[in-house]
Amino acid sequence: MKQLIDKLYNNQTLEKEEFLTLLQQYEDKELSEYLHSLARGLSEESFGKDIYLRGLIEFTNYCKNDCYYCGIRSGNKNADRYRLSKEQILECCEVGYNLGFRTFVLQGGEDLAFKDEILVDIIKSMKKGYPECAITLSIGERSYEQYKKYYEAGADRFLLRHETANEEHYRLLHPDSLSLENRKECLRNLKKIGYQVGTGFMVGSPYQTMECLVEDLLFIKELEPHMIGIGPFIPHKDTKFADFPAGSVDLTLFLIGILRLMNRKALIPATTALGTMDKKGREKGILSGSNVLMPNLSPITVRKKYDLYDNKICTGEEAAECNGCLRRRVSSIGYQVVEKRGDYME
């Protein structure tokens, strides 16, 4: 199996069957450590021991979509809904800036109340207040024209996970109102406009097969995103998948290693979902090839309400407390958090 990892390391392409063979060995500890040692080496070649922080501002948990796996889906009548005002969002930025954050991620459901003019005003205000900081949006599917407005207002990056690149699998996770082709078109449009673009997928989502994961890897190779976010699926009690098992941490880490070998310059977070599934999950993510962490800057009063999945960590901590904890965790494995934007470098 090591020869397949070596092929990736040497910038060679794997065929579908080779990817499948490799993924089926993810529980092989010796093979995993070999993969992760190469992934760490490549990450350090590009970024040294630096870990970049992205301050997450979850500004609304209203969403017009009814994705079957998501805790803030429109059909969840138990969700405690909220929206942050522009003033609250800017307060989050101030707190984050003073803690050393140089990227803010404005993340929310697809909330129709946030019209384009409101979002443009928020983005411009963030950019005016913090001109040296990067603004990342994670607000779902919009038209080319809308994405262009946000970009011209000052947004630098956009996160839009494709969730699965397999059409049949996509249908099992989403209502008929959504389409995989439109999702992919959104990602292509974002790249055309000039955003630094992030995509990704859940590991172990309901009905996912190893073949699905191979399609995810091949789609990411084709798209060549600047950021790649993956994390284990975690069920939410108020969805149709409440009783489905969570995804595997080991498989997620194995995939992070593969993605690092395939995308040497990509910004790859060790996600909150990893930290939720495993107390040392984020550290393990970094040691598998990740180089980004995304702590929460949202007001404590709303953090528990942005529950995409059950038992999410860090919902009761002050931003400063969470920031200090993360810095200590990163330091304990020989890396350091840096006060930089952490842009994608060609």
Side-chain angles (χ1 to χ4, degrees):
M1 283 313 119
K2 283 185 178 178
Q3 67 268 29
L4 295 179
I5 293 173
D6 289 340
K7 279 183 76 172
L8 287 175
Y9 183 73
N10 292 314
N11 272 325
Q12 296 173 27
T13 304
L14 296 191
E15 301 299 325
K16 276 187 180 180
E17 288 306 314
E18 290 178 311
F19 267 128
L20 196 55
T21 301
L22 181 56
L23 287 181
Q24 286 166 343
Q25 304 303 313
Y26 79 90
E27 292 179 296
D28 182 324
K29 298 297 182 192
E30 185 183 340
L31 191 69
S32 291
E33 185 42 50
Y34 180 67
L35 168 64
H36 293 149
S37 66
L38 292 180
R40 278 196 302 276
L42 285 179
S43 187
E44 287 173 23
E45 271 181 35
S46 296
F47 309 102
K49 295 277 192 175
D50 291 353
I51 301 298
Y52 305 112
L53 294 184
R54 308 327 197 186
L56 203 54
I57 303 169
E58 297 161 335
F59 71 106
T60 174
N61 71 345
Y62 283 84
C63 190
K64 67 181 178 64
N65 297 328
D66 201 29
C67 304
Y68 302 147
Y69 50 83
C70 183
I72 65 167
R73 65 195 179 88
S74 60
N76 180 10
K77 303 307 178 193
N78 295 324
D80 185 2
R81 305 291 179 178
Y82 73 92
R83 294 182 176 106
L84 297 185
S85 66
K86 181 175 85 169
E87 290 69 32
Q88 287 175 301
I89 291 168
L90 292 174
E91 282 172 18
C92 294
C93 293
E94 183 180 2
V95 169
Y97 187 84
N98 290 334
L99 290 171
F101 291 72
R102 295 300 178 262
T103 290
F104 302 121
V105 182
L106 205 56
Q107 179 171 295
E110 294 192 26
D111 184 352
L112 298 175
F114 280 90
K115 308 289 186 191
D116 286 348
E117 57 268 25
I118 296 173
L119 283 171
V120 164
D121 179 50
I122 290 169
I123 294 163
K124 283 183 174 177
S125 298
M126 290 171 71
K127 206 65 173 181
K128 183 180 178 184
Y130 306 93
E132 73 271 45
C133 295
I135 298 173
T136 303
L137 302 180
S138 179
I139 54 174
E141 298 178 16
R142 309 287 167 118
S143 69
Y144 183 96
E145 291 72 26
Q146 288 176 297
Y147 287 147
K148 198 161 187 296
K149 278 184 199 173
Y150 311 149
Y151 185 74
E152 289 170 350
D156 305 280
R157 307 174 187 151
F158 205 105
L159 304 178
L160 185 71
R161 284 187 176 188
H162 66 276
E163 298 300 7
T164 175
N166 177 278
E167 185 69 52
E168 186 180 342
H169 186 216
Y170 189 91
R171 291 267 59 83
L172 293 168
L173 301 179
H174 300 90
D176 291 340
S177 57
L178 298 172
S179 82
L180 176 57
E181 189 43 52
N182 188 63
R183 197 84 170 173
K184 288 180 174 179
E185 187 61 21
C186 285
L187 285 163
R188 296 184 191 107
N189 285 340
L190 289 162
K191 282 198 83 177
K192 278 181 203 164
I193 290 166
Y195 284 94
Q196 292 175 45
V197 177
T199 194
F201 54 89
M202 293 179 289
V203 179
S205 58
Y207 310 114
Q208 186 183 67
T209 63
M210 286 295 187
E211 287 81 2
C212 290
L213 289 170
V214 171
E215 288 188 58
D216 287 320
L217 293 174
L218 292 172
F219 172 67
I220 285 172
K221 180 173 177 54
E222 172 202 330
L223 182 68
E224 295 184 326
H226 310 98
M227 303 168 285
I228 306 164
I230 69 169
F233 164 75
I234 303 175
H236 188 286
K237 64 185 181 306
D238 294 322
T239 68
K240 66 189 287 186
F241 299 137
D243 296 326
F244 277 67
S248 161
V249 169
D250 287 343
L251 179 54
T252 303
L253 296 171
F254 199 79
L255 284 157
I256 286 173
I258 289 173
L259 287 164
R260 172 56 69 205
L261 264 55
M262 292 172 63
N263 305 268
R264 299 176 181 223
K265 303 280 190 181
L267 295 144
I268 302 177
T271 60
T272 303
L274 258 181
T276 298
M277 288 286 295
D278 183 318
K279 285 182 180 176
K280 296 279 188 183
R282 288 172 294 183
E283 291 94 320
K284 290 177 181 179
I286 292 169
L287 294 172
S288 301
S290 294
N291 64 324
V292 170
L293 292 169
M294 300 179 71
N296 204 324
L297 289 176
S298 307
I300 282 188
T301 51
V302 303
R303 285 194 199 176
K304 283 186 168 64
K305 299 176 185 180
Y306 201 85
D307 57 340
L308 306 182
Y309 50 81
D310 287 341
N311 305 312
K312 186 174 159 190
I313 56 171
C314 300
T315 56
E317 292 181 348
E318 292 285 355
E321 185 183 355
C322 188
N323 180 55
C325 171
L326 273 185
R327 286 173 186 266
R328 288 190 296 274
R329 284 172 174 269
V330 167
S331 179
S332 75
I333 54 171
Y335 290 76
Q336 72 265 340
V337 166
V338 291
E339 296 185 3
K340 297 179 183 175
R341 282 170 50 121
D343 287 296
Y344 181 84
M345 307 299 286
E346 294 290 352

